[in-house]
Amino acid sequence: MDIAAVARCVGRCYVSPAFGESEPFRLSERRFLKFSCSTNSDPTGSRSLIFGGKSHRRLGFFRPIMATDESISSRSSDCAGETKQINGKQKNIVWHDCPVTQSDRQKLIKQKGCVIWITGLSGSGKSSLACALSRALHSRGKLSYILDGDNVRHGLNSDLSFEAEDRAENIRRVGEVAKLFADAGIICIASLISPYRRERAACRALLPEGDFIEVFMDVPLHVCEARDPKGLYKRARAGKIKGFTGVDDPYEPPLDCEIVIQNNRDKGLSSSSSSSSLCEMAEIVVSYLDQNGYLQTP
């Protein structure tokens, strides 16, 4: 490897523990060191790095940043028992634990992380409830974040269509991200149609028991269709949208969700006259969180 090229491409490099424990850099003296573009050759012909004008170590002391197929195969014996099966494919990856735990993070922000999964038909008020709930939690000094079904398709899931396979992948990705938020100690509010029980159950299985709180917006189809805030039902009835949940694709209501919220008013939840109702619905969820210790210091 051309050391000058490394110096040009890598502005700063962290000294690995193995390097830090060798002279003249002890473990307590590990630091970020700047590469110099100049190199020296020692009597053996090896090229050395220049740190602050002094030649200290050859490039061989640095761990490879990227593993090639050759390097993986040559070190396969060193990684025995550390590989993991992911989706049926062999991956040379190992989970790296961090000394700062979920409990530490939760104590820091004085709340317990969890996932509130709001499911229901389009037009049932999922996003409206999610925003009202986030506002209610914020007023109590509690940190939350919303993963909205439409919003995540603007970025994280922008590569996915509405075909059955991609819709399943959409739910899977949101479930994994929600799990990370919960692990960070944040109350994650996911609002998605998520029509199938199997996919919701898979997301529930990602979290410890009790940390997945399913909220079912139990609103009849005719009410959702009368609201039709985005005009999607009209387009689906006209044949312009295929596979639309509630029209030509089924919705499987939860059988054992933690919270059921009913709102059968034909008027959309975004109107000012329904603001009190939204607050009431949000308080139902807040009360559940409070009673189950999610709003208290663990």
Side-chain angles (χ1 to χ4, degrees):
M1 180 181 294
D2 185 347
I3 191 60
V6 174
R8 287 194 301 270
C9 296
V10 184
R12 296 172 69 87
C13 179
Y14 179 70
V15 180
S16 71
F19 187 96
E21 291 167 357
S22 61
E23 292 294 340
F25 294 91
R26 295 183 176 82
L27 181 61
S28 61
E29 298 172 340
R30 282 185 294 170
R31 66 199 73 177
F32 282 88
L33 300 172
K34 292 185 178 179
F35 273 115
S36 170
C37 291
S38 59
T39 60
N40 285 339
S41 297
D42 63 18
T44 65
S46 298
R47 308 184 77 184
S48 302
L49 291 175
I50 301 299
F51 293 109
K54 295 182 180 180
S55 175
H56 290 297
R57 287 295 184 269
R58 290 187 296 275
L59 183 63
F61 278 90
F62 286 86
R63 305 289 178 88
I65 297 173
M66 296 182 65
T68 63
D69 291 339
E70 181 182 356
S71 65
I72 291 173
S73 61
S74 65
R75 299 183 60 189
S76 59
S77 60
D78 297 334
C79 300
E82 295 183 348
T83 58
K84 186 177 181 181
Q85 290 281 349
I86 303 294
N87 294 332
K89 298 181 180 180
Q90 187 74 21
K91 300 290 184 180
N92 292 286
I93 57 175
V94 182
W95 184 269
H96 186 84
D97 287 317
C98 178
V100 180
T101 66
Q102 180 188 38
S103 178
D104 294 328
R105 291 186 287 270
Q106 292 180 153
K107 289 177 181 177
L108 182 66
I109 59 178
K110 300 179 180 180
Q111 64 182 52
K112 185 178 179 183
C114 64
V115 174
I116 302 171
W117 193 278
I118 307 175
T119 177
L121 291 168
S122 176
S124 61
K126 301 181 299 298
S127 297
S128 297
L129 173 60
C131 291
L133 176 57
S134 182
R135 188 181 303 112
L137 291 170
H138 183 270
S139 68
R140 289 166 173 76
K142 302 303 176 183
L143 184 60
S144 66
Y145 194 85
I146 299 173
L147 295 176
D148 182 82
D150 281 355
N151 291 359
V152 295
R153 283 184 173 272
H154 282 77
L156 175 68
N157 295 340
S158 60
D159 60 320
L160 300 179
S161 70
F162 285 90
E163 298 296 328
E165 183 177 351
D166 278 2
R167 292 187 74 177
E169 173 63 12
N170 178 61
I171 300 301
R172 188 197 70 81
R173 290 184 191 179
V174 173
E176 290 286 354
V177 173
K179 179 184 72 172
L180 295 177
F181 272 108
D183 186 58
I186 296 171
I187 299 172
C188 182
I189 307 168
S191 56
L192 305 94
I193 294 176
S194 46
Y196 303 122
R197 297 188 187 109
R198 181 179 64 179
E199 293 164 3
R200 297 195 300 266
C203 292
R204 180 186 291 271
L206 294 173
L207 287 100
E209 185 175 357
D211 287 357
F212 185 93
I213 303 160
E214 191 171 17
V215 179
F216 174 37
M217 298 298 290
D218 186 9
V219 182
L221 174 62
H222 73 274
V223 174
C224 294
E225 192 164 358
R227 294 173 179 169
D228 201 12
K230 302 173 185 177
L232 298 177
Y233 285 101
K234 183 178 180 180
R235 295 178 63 193
R237 294 295 184 188
K240 296 180 180 179
I241 301 177
K242 300 296 183 182
F244 189 75
T245 303
V247 177
D248 54 358
D249 202 59
Y251 175 82
E252 299 173 352
L255 300 177
D256 55 356
C257 60
E258 283 73 18
I259 300 173
V260 177
I261 293 181
Q262 295 180 330
N263 188 297
N264 299 335
R265 300 178 183 178
D266 288 349
K267 185 175 291 188
L269 289 174
S270 60
S271 65
S272 59
S273 61
S274 63
S275 59
S276 60
S277 177
L278 269 177
C279 292
E280 292 167 2
M281 289 188 287
E283 283 302 319
I284 293 174
V285 183
V286 171
S287 296
Y288 180 93
L289 294 174
D290 193 25
Q291 293 170 9
N292 288 275
Y294 289 98
L295 305 185
Q296 303 165 14
T297 303

